[in-house]
Amino acid sequence: MRRAIELAARGLGRTSPNPVVGCVVLDSAGRTAGEGWHQRAGGPHAEIHALQAAGERARGGTALVTLEPCNHTGRTGPCAQALIDAGVARVVYAVADPNPTATGGALTLARAGIDVEGGLLADEAAAGNEAWLTSVLRGRPFVLWKYAATLDGRIAAADGTSRWISSPESRADVHRLRAAADAVIVGSGTARADDPQLGVRSAGLAVLGADEVSQPLRVVVDSGATAVKAGARVLDGTAPTLIAVAEDADAAHLEGLAPLVRLPRAPQGRGLSIPALLQALFARDVRSVLLEGGPTLAGAFLAAGAVDKVVGYLAPVLLGAGPAAVGDAGITTIAQALRLDVTDTARLGPDLRITATPIRHARPEEN
């Protein structure tokens, strides 16, 4: 199963709106007969690749899959039926499929006389598929907020200079995050100050075990349609780009430069509605978002309760002044502080990378 989880990770960034899935087929003697992973949306699922590799050796064998085999016909046929047709005797899966249109594969397999077991390495498999699982359960894309800051929490000096606070190792790691995301988002402040390109460079390839990586959708939240200009690096054609502007913004000058999406403004403040932005991306099959925006956009996402994971790169540098990593998030007292659960720490060159998830307290009706 751990091998299947490793295989599943090779599909990160290329399977949306589908999950990443890995599969290993053992023959009747317990030897590996075939391996596969879901490589792209619309293509064969992991089980199909593994069964094709195994051929007749799958008959009487065992299939280990990171996600419960699907039970519906979409752009491809149901994997549960493919396993039945291949004559496997046992299916072991890690995570039950929460998608109501695809669930039921385990029951179909059991009714066909196949020995079925679920839950093996479920936590590890779920962690590898966290973006898709979150999107199914919450009806919006999974959001990972990434930032780089000094040890005293500054993302730039008082004069606005910020290159480079973090180390080359940390910057390379960001390309790993981009390679695994469906979309990368920045705000108008970042677009003006840095003119970012936001594409994935080769650093993101090897870690995913892929020869090529699909570039994420580049999204600029430009409420007033004033930050993106002709010639901006985000319009260079190496990856698709979407510019989000307010419904009442004059964006005539952007027509033809990149696709636009017009969204309502936030109930309070000058920015856009974050839920509306995420719904617009979800409708475009985006299931995972890497938020790389500055403090204003980060604060807006946090205020909207729309951050699912935080990755902070802390450099052993002190500035004493300059913009902080996050702006107004609607928190006015320590009792409202958003507490985080640190799930990983790692050294990247001289920097410290901290990965954490918000601690979400249940609402009264959920208790």
Side-chain angles (χ1 to χ4, degrees), residues 124-170:
E124 292 182 33
N129 225 358
E130 63 181 348
W132 181 81
L133 289 169
T134 297
S135 71
V136 170
L137 295 173
R138 295 185 180 158
R140 62 158 176 81
F142 171 88
V143 178
L144 188 161
W145 171 43
K146 156 263 162 187
Y147 71 94
T150 62
L151 205 56
D152 55 345
R154 308 295 178 177
I155 61 170
D159 65 356
T161 55
S162 61
R163 296 187 180 181
W164 292 104
I165 284 176
S166 60
S167 66
E169 293 87 348
S170 291

Side-chain angles (χ1 to χ4, degrees), residues 13-96:
R14 294 185 290 174
T15 65
S16 284
N18 299 336
V20 294
V21 182
C23 178
V24 176
V25 173
L26 308 178
D27 65 16
S28 58
R31 297 172 298 224
T32 299
E35 297 182 340
W37 68 94
H38 187 34
Q39 300 176 11
R40 60 178 178 83
H45 290 185
E47 296 94 321
I48 306 305
H49 284 296
L51 289 172
Q52 288 175 344
E56 280 301 310
R57 294 177 64 196
R59 192 164 299 278
T62 299
L64 296 103
V65 196
T66 58
L67 186 69
E68 178 186 0
C70 66
N71 197 43
H72 78 297
T73 299
R75 285 183 282 185
T76 59
C79 291
Q81 189 59 49
L83 291 163
I84 294 169
D85 294 342
V88 299
R90 187 173 183 232
V91 173
V92 181
Y93 65 89
V95 178

Side-chain angles (χ1 to χ4, degrees), residues 221-242:
V221 180
D222 188 6
S223 305
T226 59
V228 180
K229 308 289 186 183
R233 295 177 67 216
V234 77
L235 303 175
D236 65 5
T238 61
T241 300
L242 181 70

Side-chain angles (χ1 to χ4, degrees), residues 258-272:
L260 300 179
V261 58
R262 291 186 175 273
L263 300 172
R265 292 186 181 271
Q268 297 176 341
R270 295 175 298 173
L272 300 182

